[in-house]
């Protein structure tokens, strides 16, 4: 009997697709500037003499705007293209960072903060670009690798935010005194550079022309979801372990030849 070598028993995992690496790199560079703003933006507004109420209102507006944008960008990016949306997003982020760095007028700062999401976590956590990135990653990756890559992508975002927050604290430590408003203003270089770097990486990406083909696990999951529909004559409570057993048994019973689910038209 021929023995299987360890190398053949555990084949090397294939490398990540190029677009996946670019998307993860985008989140990494974008997160550094976002983390710096989480740590420093409210302190900057305080150094300008803003009251706590005014600062809280700006942050609330940014959160509401980000929530609304997160809800609508998914369907819009499906129609208009994910690459185009992410390019536009990074271009706008670079623009508002430049405005915040050069301007002190309250209405300009409020507009930049609301659109740019300054002072809140929008990269490691959910943000307007998150559903677009997730959908693109799902197209590029087989189902068995999605969970690991999605987790790594989020972790990289949080790590980048931590690095950005540390960079925002270094100037005060280096100077040995509290930062003034002009000192804080220079920190907007970080989100500006991160957005430009993210734009350059997305420019190198090429959006797939077609969606990923359904895999066997996806087909099985769809079959189970279809069997959740109650048939005529079904009565009673079917929850918990018993309900799960019924769903699995029904999914197995309705599989057609070749191991693929039959359609229920």
């Amino acid at each position: 009997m021929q023995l299987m070598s360890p190398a053949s028993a555990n084949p090397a995992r294939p490398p990540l697709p190029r677009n996946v690496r670019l998307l993860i790199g985008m989140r990494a560079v974008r997160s550094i500037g976002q983390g710096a703003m989480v740590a420093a933006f409210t302190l900057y507004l305080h150094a300008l003499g803003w009251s706590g109420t005014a600062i809280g209102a700006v942050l609330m507006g940014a959160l509401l705007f980000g929530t609304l944008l997160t809800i609508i960008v998914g369907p819009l990016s499906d129609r208009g293209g994910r690459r185009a949306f992410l390019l536009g997003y990074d271009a706008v982020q670079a623009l508002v960072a430049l405005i915040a760095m050069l301007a002190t007028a309250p209405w300009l700062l409020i507009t930049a903060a609301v659109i740019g999401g300054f002072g809140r976590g929008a990269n490691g956590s959910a943000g307007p670009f998150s559903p677009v990135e997730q959908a693109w990653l799902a197209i590029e990756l087989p189902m068995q690798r999605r969970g690991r890559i999605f987790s790594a992508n989020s972790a990289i975002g949080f790590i980048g935010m931590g690095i950005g927050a540390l960079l925002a604290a270094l100037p005060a430590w280096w100077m040995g005194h509290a930062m003034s408003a002009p000192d804080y203003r220079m920190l907007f270089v970080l989100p500006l550079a991160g957005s430009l770097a993210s734009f350059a990486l997305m420019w190198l990406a090429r959006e797939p022309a077609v969606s990923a083909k359904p895999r066997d696990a996806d087909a099985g999951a769809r079959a189970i979801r279809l069997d959740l529909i109650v048939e005529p004559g079904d009565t009673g409570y079917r929850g918990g372990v018993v309900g799960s057993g019924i769903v699995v048994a029904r999914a197995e019973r309705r599989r057609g030849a070749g191991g693929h689910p039959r359609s229920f038209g």
Side-chain angles (χ1 to χ4, degrees), residues 111-182:
T111 302
V114 170
I115 297 177
F118 300 143
R120 65 182 179 87
N123 193 67
S125 58
F129 55 85
S130 183
V132 183
E133 284 186 352
Q134 295 285 82
W136 194 337
L137 288 173
I139 291 176
E140 298 279 351
L141 294 167
M143 186 175 183
Q144 61 269 23
R145 300 189 70 181
R146 291 175 191 169
R148 183 185 299 272
I149 300 304
F150 288 172
S151 298
N153 191 42
S154 297
I156 288 173
F158 283 118
I159 293 171
M161 290 182 69
I163 294 173
L166 177 61
L167 292 176
L170 287 179
W173 174 80
W174 181 265
M175 293 183 298
H177 59 79
M179 296 173 63
S180 62

Side-chain angles (χ1 to χ4, degrees), residues 22-174:
L22 290 173
L23 288 168
I24 294 175
M26 286 174 58
R27 174 163 288 209
V29 297
R30 191 193 299 123
S31 65
I32 295 175
Q34 189 68 47
M37 291 298 99
V38 168
F41 185 69
T42 55
L43 297 175
Y44 170 53
L45 296 182
H46 179 72
L48 289 175
W50 290 38
S51 66
T53 302
I55 295 173
V58 171
L59 296 181
M60 181 187 68
L63 285 170
L64 292 177
F65 180 80
T67 301
L68 178 62
L69 198 60
T70 301
I71 293 174
I72 65 176
V73 295
L76 289 180
S77 65
D78 288 338
R79 297 180 181 181
R82 298 179 179 89
R83 180 175 182 270
F85 171 81
L86 290 174
L87 285 172
Y89 179 85
D90 286 323
V92 170
Q93 292 295 303
L95 177 62
V96 296
L98 183 63
I99 291 174
M101 184 171 62
L102 299 178
T104 57
W107 70 272
L108 284 175
L109 283 179
I110 292 173
T111 302
V114 170
I115 297 177
F118 300 143
R120 65 182 179 87
N123 193 67
S125 58
F129 55 85
S130 183
V132 183
E133 284 186 352
Q134 295 285 82
W136 194 337
L137 288 173
I139 291 176
E140 298 279 351
L141 294 167
M143 186 175 183
Q144 61 269 23
R145 300 189 70 181
R146 291 175 191 169
R148 183 185 299 272
I149 300 304
F150 288 172
S151 298
N153 191 42
S154 297
I156 288 173
F158 283 118
I159 293 171
M161 290 182 69
I163 294 173
L166 177 61
L167 292 176
L170 287 179
W173 174 80
W174 181 265

